[in-house]
Amino acid sequence: MLPVIVGITGASGVIYGVEALKALKELSIPTHLILSRAGAENLKIETDFNAEQVKSLARTSHDPENLAAAPASGSFLTKGMLVAPCSIKTLSAIANSYTDNLLTRAADVTLKEKRTLVLMVRETPLHQGHLELMARAAQMGAVILPPMPAFYHNPRTIEDLIKQSVGKALDSLGIANQLFKRWSGPS
C-alpha cells in the first residue's frame, strides 16, 4: 500500500492533522509526517498533544529541513499528500513553487508527479491575495479543502465536526473512510 504524506503547519487547526494521522493509522495506511516547527509549537497551544506523541502516530517522521528525505523525490511513490492545516505562508510557497523546506518540496513533488495534494487552508477572512493563491494552487492541480463544518450529519461535538472535515480530505485522496455519516437524502 502506498503511503500518504501528512504535513502539519503552524496554522490554527493542527488537530486536523492529528486526527488525519489517527484515521490513517486505524486504516493501516502508512504515513510520512512532516511537522513544521510552527506546527509543533501550535500543538502545545491548541491541543494536549506534544510533537513526539504526534510523530508516534506516523510510520515515519521527517525533519522539515531535510531536503534529502524520501518525500523530496518523485521516485518515492506515494498515494498523495495532505497538508492539514495549511497556513497561508505554506499555501504561498506551494503556489509559487518555493521549496525551501521538506514540506513545500514534498507538496511540489506531489503536484509535478500528478498525485493528489489536498490543502486544508486555514484562514478567515480571506483577502484577494489569499484567494489568488488558492486559485493558483488549484490550477496546478491541488485540491483546496478548507475545513468547513457540515451539519447534515447532526454533529454533537467538536470532534464530530473535525472528523467530518478529515473524512472529506481522505475522500479527496481516494481513501474510503467512515469518519462521518454521509448524506443519503432527507429522512
Side-chain angles (χ1 to χ4, degrees):
M1 181 173 300
L2 292 175
V4 172
I5 301 168
V6 177
I8 298 178
T9 73
S12 184
V14 290
I15 195 65
Y16 292 109
V18 173
E19 289 299 324
L21 286 168
K22 286 181 183 178
L24 290 164
K25 187 172 189 171
E26 189 171 303
L27 293 167
S28 299
I29 295 173
T31 52
H32 284 251
L33 172 63
I34 306 168
L35 175 63
S36 75
R37 306 256 184 265
E41 284 300 311
N42 214 13
L43 283 169
K44 292 187 264 185
I45 296 167
E46 293 185 352
T47 75
D48 293 329
F49 294 97
N50 62 46
E52 292 311 310
Q53 290 170 311
V54 173
K55 289 176 184 179
S56 74
L57 295 172
R59 177 164 299 167
T60 305
S61 180
H62 299 280
D63 179 332
E65 302 310 314
N66 182 6
L67 288 169
S73 173
S75 67
F76 177 66
L77 295 177
T78 68
K79 184 157 184 65
M81 181 173 182
L82 168 63
V83 182
C86 181
S87 66
I88 294 297
K89 177 182 176 183
T90 300
L91 170 66
S92 180
I94 293 167
N96 289 293
S97 302
Y98 183 67
T99 60
D100 71 331
N101 63 56
L102 182 59
L103 198 153
T104 57
R105 171 63 186 165
D108 194 63
V109 166
T110 301
L111 289 173
K112 81 176 184 72
E113 297 296 329
K114 305 288 189 236
R115 298 175 190 144
T116 304
L117 173 64
V118 179
L119 305 176
M120 292 184 83
V121 179
R122 267 287 305 120
E123 188 62 74
T124 190
L126 299 164
H127 62 60
Q128 184 174 343
H130 300 150
L131 297 170
E132 289 172 0
L133 289 169
M134 284 189 267
R136 187 173 183 156
Q139 289 166 350
M140 295 165 65
V143 175
I144 308 300
L145 199 149
M148 302 282 196
F151 297 93
Y152 61 81
H153 64 294
N154 295 308
R156 299 289 181 233
T157 66
I158 291 173
E159 182 180 21
D160 291 342
L161 295 172
I162 293 166
K163 284 187 173 185
Q164 188 269 338
S165 290
V166 170
K168 293 293 287 180
L170 296 185
D171 287 351
S172 291
L173 285 162
I175 298 170
N177 69 88
Q178 296 181 13
L179 292 175
F180 63 103
K181 181 181 173 198
R182 295 176 184 282
W183 179 251
S184 61
S187 36

Short mmCIF file of all heavy atoms in Angstrom, two decimals, residues 74 78-80 107-117 139-142:
data_model
loop_
_atom_site.label_atom_id
_atom_site.label_comp_id
_atom_site.label_asym_id
_atom_site.label_seq_id
_atom_site.Cartn_x
_atom_site.Cartn_y
_atom_site.Cartn_z
N GLY A 74 10.49 12.56 -6.54
CA GLY A 74 9.36 11.99 -7.28
C GLY A 74 9.45 10.49 -7.41
O GLY A 74 8.44 9.82 -7.66
N THR A 78 4.01 7.67 -3.63
CA THR A 78 3.01 7.92 -2.59
C THR A 78 1.62 7.94 -3.21
O THR A 78 1.48 8.09 -4.43
CB THR A 78 3.24 9.27 -1.88
OG1 THR A 78 2.96 10.33 -2.80
CG2 THR A 78 4.65 9.39 -1.35
N LYS A 79 0.63 7.81 -2.36
CA LYS A 79 -0.77 7.96 -2.80
C LYS A 79 -1.08 9.44 -2.98
O LYS A 79 -1.94 9.81 -3.77
CB LYS A 79 -1.71 7.34 -1.77
CG LYS A 79 -3.17 7.38 -2.19
CD LYS A 79 -3.96 6.33 -1.49
CE LYS A 79 -5.39 6.27 -1.95
NZ LYS A 79 -5.55 5.87 -3.35
N GLY A 80 -0.40 10.29 -2.25
CA GLY A 80 -0.65 11.72 -2.30
C GLY A 80 -0.21 12.36 -1.01
O GLY A 80 0.48 11.75 -0.19
N ALA A 107 5.20 18.83 -1.31
CA ALA A 107 3.98 19.28 -1.98
C ALA A 107 4.25 19.55 -3.46
O ALA A 107 3.45 19.18 -4.33
CB ALA A 107 3.44 20.53 -1.29
N ASP A 108 5.37 20.18 -3.76
CA ASP A 108 5.74 20.47 -5.14
C ASP A 108 5.94 19.18 -5.93
O ASP A 108 5.48 19.04 -7.06
CB ASP A 108 7.02 21.32 -5.16
CG ASP A 108 7.29 21.94 -6.52
OD1 ASP A 108 6.45 22.75 -6.97
OD2 ASP A 108 8.33 21.61 -7.11
N VAL A 109 6.61 18.22 -5.31
CA VAL A 109 6.82 16.91 -5.94
C VAL A 109 5.47 16.23 -6.19
O VAL A 109 5.24 15.65 -7.25
CB VAL A 109 7.73 16.02 -5.08
CG1 VAL A 109 7.69 14.56 -5.53
CG2 VAL A 109 9.16 16.54 -5.10
N THR A 110 4.58 16.30 -5.22
CA THR A 110 3.25 15.69 -5.36
C THR A 110 2.55 16.26 -6.58
O THR A 110 1.98 15.51 -7.39
CB THR A 110 2.42 15.91 -4.08
OG1 THR A 110 3.12 15.31 -2.98
CG2 THR A 110 1.04 15.30 -4.19
N LEU A 111 2.62 17.58 -6.76
CA LEU A 111 1.98 18.21 -7.91
C LEU A 111 2.67 17.82 -9.22
O LEU A 111 2.00 17.49 -10.20
CB LEU A 111 1.98 19.73 -7.75
CG LEU A 111 1.05 20.30 -6.70
CD1 LEU A 111 1.28 21.79 -6.53
CD2 LEU A 111 -0.41 20.01 -7.05
N LYS A 112 3.99 17.86 -9.24
CA LYS A 112 4.69 17.58 -10.50
C LYS A 112 4.52 16.14 -10.94
O LYS A 112 4.54 15.84 -12.12
CB LYS A 112 6.17 17.97 -10.43
CG LYS A 112 7.09 16.98 -9.76
CD LYS A 112 8.55 17.43 -9.83
CE LYS A 112 9.48 16.41 -9.26
NZ LYS A 112 9.66 15.22 -10.08
N GLU A 113 4.31 15.24 -9.98
CA GLU A 113 4.10 13.83 -10.30
C GLU A 113 2.62 13.52 -10.55
O GLU A 113 2.25 12.37 -10.74
CB GLU A 113 4.65 12.95 -9.17
CG GLU A 113 6.15 13.06 -8.96
CD GLU A 113 6.97 12.58 -10.16
OE1 GLU A 113 6.51 11.67 -10.89
OE2 GLU A 113 8.08 13.12 -10.36
N LYS A 114 1.78 14.55 -10.53
CA LYS A 114 0.34 14.41 -10.79
C LYS A 114 -0.35 13.52 -9.77
O LYS A 114 -1.28 12.77 -10.07
CB LYS A 114 0.07 13.88 -12.21
CG LYS A 114 0.70 14.69 -13.31
CD LYS A 114 0.02 16.01 -13.50
CE LYS A 114 0.52 16.72 -14.74
NZ LYS A 114 1.05 18.03 -14.49
N ARG A 115 0.11 13.61 -8.53
CA ARG A 115 -0.54 12.92 -7.42
C ARG A 115 -1.46 13.91 -6.71
O ARG A 115 -1.33 15.12 -6.87
CB ARG A 115 0.51 12.36 -6.46
CG ARG A 115 1.41 11.33 -7.15
CD ARG A 115 2.53 10.85 -6.25
NE ARG A 115 3.48 10.06 -7.03
CZ ARG A 115 4.78 10.06 -6.84
NH1 ARG A 115 5.34 10.79 -5.88
NH2 ARG A 115 5.56 9.32 -7.61
N THR A 116 -2.34 13.41 -5.89
CA THR A 116 -3.30 14.29 -5.22
C THR A 116 -2.65 15.03 -4.06
O THR A 116 -2.04 14.42 -3.18
CB THR A 116 -4.50 13.47 -4.70
OG1 THR A 116 -5.08 12.76 -5.80
CG2 THR A 116 -5.54 14.37 -4.07
N LEU A 117 -2.79 16.35 -4.08
CA LEU A 117 -2.34 17.22 -2.99
C LEU A 117 -3.58 17.91 -2.43
O LEU A 117 -4.25 18.66 -3.15
CB LEU A 117 -1.34 18.25 -3.49
CG LEU A 117 -0.92 19.32 -2.47
CD1 LEU A 117 -0.18 18.71 -1.28
CD2 LEU A 117 -0.08 20.40 -3.14
N GLN A 139 -5.12 25.57 -9.94
CA GLN A 139 -4.76 25.46 -11.36
C GLN A 139 -3.58 24.51 -11.56
O GLN A 139 -3.47 23.86 -12.60
CB GLN A 139 -4.44 26.84 -11.93
CG GLN A 139 -5.64 27.72 -12.09
CD GLN A 139 -5.29 29.19 -12.33
OE1 GLN A 139 -4.15 29.60 -12.21
NE2 GLN A 139 -6.30 29.98 -12.65
N MET A 140 -2.72 24.40 -10.56
CA MET A 140 -1.57 23.50 -10.63
C MET A 140 -1.97 22.06 -10.30
O MET A 140 -1.17 21.15 -10.45
CB MET A 140 -0.48 23.98 -9.66
CG MET A 140 0.10 25.33 -10.06
SD MET A 140 1.08 26.10 -8.73
CE MET A 140 2.43 24.96 -8.56
N GLY A 141 -3.20 21.86 -9.81
CA GLY A 141 -3.68 20.52 -9.52
C GLY A 141 -4.02 20.24 -8.07
O GLY A 141 -4.48 19.15 -7.75
N ALA A 142 -3.79 21.19 -7.18
CA ALA A 142 -4.09 20.97 -5.76
C ALA A 142 -5.60 20.98 -5.53
O ALA A 142 -6.35 21.64 -6.24
CB ALA A 142 -3.44 22.05 -4.90
#
